[in-house]
Amino acid sequence: MATRRSLQQEQAGDFWEKTDEVLRHISDNGACGTADVGQDEKKSSGGWWDWHPSKTALEYLWHAGELSVTRREGFRKIYDLTDRVIPSAHLNAFVSNEDAIDWHCNEALDHLGFTTSGEITAFWDTVTSQEAKEWCQRGLVTGALIEVDVECVDGSLRRSFARPDLLDLPVLDISQRVRILSPFDPVLRDRKRAERLFGFHYRIEIFVPAAKRQYGYYVFPVMEGDQLIGRIDMKADREAKRLDVTAFWPEPKVRMGAGRQKRLMAELDRAARFGGCDAVAFADDWLRTAG
């Protein structure tokens, strides 16, 4: 849980005196976003992620459980009193610590397919490393889990845990369609795991100063079949209803032959339609040197 001290250290301004004011505002006026509180408060000049005190109060109250996020409007979270968002039957339900650990670990494993105890810890950032290790060991003893060796992209083997029937499941045919992924796609959710399994190093550079960015402000990973083949810098021009492609960087050893380029173009057409654009436009030097 976020604490008053930790949030005060992270964000400038004394938010504590704003918590009661923010709660009264939401109680009296209903759900609100950051634009609805603290209009007269000063932000620092570090960028859009700098918070005024009322924004910090909203985040603190959310982490403390007094507020919940009821929806999003674009990127903006809309907060309301928790007892108006979560039904009382769920809000007041008691869950033991042991049951909570069991649920978190089971869900992480089912989403990942195979996992180390460390990857379970990283999945939720709620279960501690010791709790995850103990859960995995209990699973081995009861037969709920087996150990498997997973081959990483560098040829090394990584001991992991899986359900006993994992090796009996049929191997699905993988479409060779090219897909443009969100930076927050489950494939990349755990950056270290993605690098081990796919050899793909990725970080989102929105918080990196422009002069130090390797690729760009908001660059999307690109996947073909079961391989991450590159990353693309693109942005929708809403007024022109056009998707502008600035650059595509293929991964090392990925060759952009005619067939692969055709599949990439098809995915860009899909992305354009999804974004409400009528056309795709390319910078002159959009296809960059691999890696």
Side-chain angles (χ1 to χ4, degrees):
M1 179 184 295
T3 65
R4 175 185 175 184
R5 177 174 175 80
S6 66
L7 280 172
Q8 281 179 318
Q9 288 174 334
E10 291 173 12
Q11 303 297 341
D14 184 6
F15 75 91
W16 190 249
E17 64 184 24
K18 294 292 183 180
T19 55
D20 288 340
E21 180 182 324
V22 166
L23 283 172
R24 282 196 302 271
H25 177 87
I26 294 176
S27 179
D28 295 343
N29 300 288
C32 79
T34 55
D36 303 310
V37 294
Q39 293 92 337
D40 58 344
E41 296 170 12
K42 186 177 181 181
K43 292 173 61 177
S44 62
S45 58
W48 64 265
W49 54 87
D50 290 311
W51 298 348
H52 54 65
S54 290
K55 162 63 175 172
T56 310
L58 283 169
E59 289 289 317
Y60 170 78
L61 292 166
W62 174 41
H63 283 276
E66 295 187 55
L67 298 179
S68 291
V69 174
T70 183
R71 65 184 186 278
R72 284 182 179 267
E73 295 178 356
F75 284 103
R76 294 174 59 241
K77 294 193 289 283
I78 304 299
Y79 306 83
D80 203 349
L81 300 178
T82 292
D83 59 10
R84 297 201 299 224
V85 176
I86 302 176
S88 59
H90 300 293
L91 182 61
N92 300 320
F94 172 76
V95 178
S96 69
N97 191 53
E98 291 77 12
D99 287 344
I101 292 170
D102 192 54
W103 183 91
H104 281 91
C105 293
N106 273 303
E107 287 294 305
L109 175 58
D110 288 340
H111 279 80
L112 294 169
F114 53 85
T115 180
T116 65
S117 62
E119 290 168 348
I120 289 176
T121 302
F123 191 86
W124 294 111
D125 196 21
T126 300
V127 176
T128 68
S129 59
Q130 186 61 33
E131 289 167 343
K133 287 178 182 178
E134 292 173 355
W135 183 85
C136 291
Q137 289 305 312
R138 286 196 300 272
L140 289 177
V141 171
T142 63
L145 300 178
I146 60 171
E147 289 184 308
V148 295
D149 287 327
V150 176
E151 185 175 1
C152 300
V153 71
D154 63 0
S156 65
L157 298 178
R158 188 172 180 83
R159 183 59 56 90
S160 299
F161 301 94
R163 301 291 188 198
D165 63 347
L166 177 68
L167 301 181
D168 297 327
L169 297 176
V171 178
L172 300 178
D173 291 332
I174 299 174
S175 168
Q176 291 305 301
R177 171 188 154 185
V178 169
R179 290 174 170 86
I180 296 171
L181 306 181
S182 161
F184 309 105
D185 189 274
V187 170
L188 293 156
R189 191 176 190 272
D190 186 332
R191 306 288 197 230
K192 293 180 180 178
R193 177 181 165 100
E195 191 161 3
R196 284 193 297 269
L197 296 179
F198 299 101
F200 189 80
H201 175 74
Y202 178 80
R203 69 170 176 171
I204 191 168
E205 297 184 297
I206 57 177
F207 298 115
V208 179
K212 295 183 178 180
R213 290 177 190 145
Q214 183 178 1
Y215 295 104
Y217 176 78
Y218 201 90
V219 171
F220 299 87
V222 179
M223 193 168 201
E224 180 185 43
D226 61 356
Q227 180 185 8
L228 284 157
I229 63 169
R231 60 203 82 206
I232 193 165
D233 185 359
M234 62 184 193
K235 184 177 180 181
D237 185 329
R238 301 297 183 185
E239 291 187 3
K241 300 188 73 174
R242 184 184 67 234
L243 181 65
D244 291 330
V245 178
T246 302
F248 174 81
W249 296 268
E251 283 291 276
K253 299 182 180 180
V254 170
R255 299 291 173 259
M256 295 303 296
R260 182 167 279 148
Q261 287 195 45
K262 183 178 179 180
R263 290 191 290 275
L264 176 60
M265 297 302 175
E267 177 66 0
L268 286 169
D269 286 339
R270 284 189 288 266
R273 292 195 300 273
F274 179 79
C277 299
D278 297 330
V280 180
F282 297 87
D284 290 339
D285 59 345
W286 72 276
L287 188 56
R288 304 295 176 87
T289 302

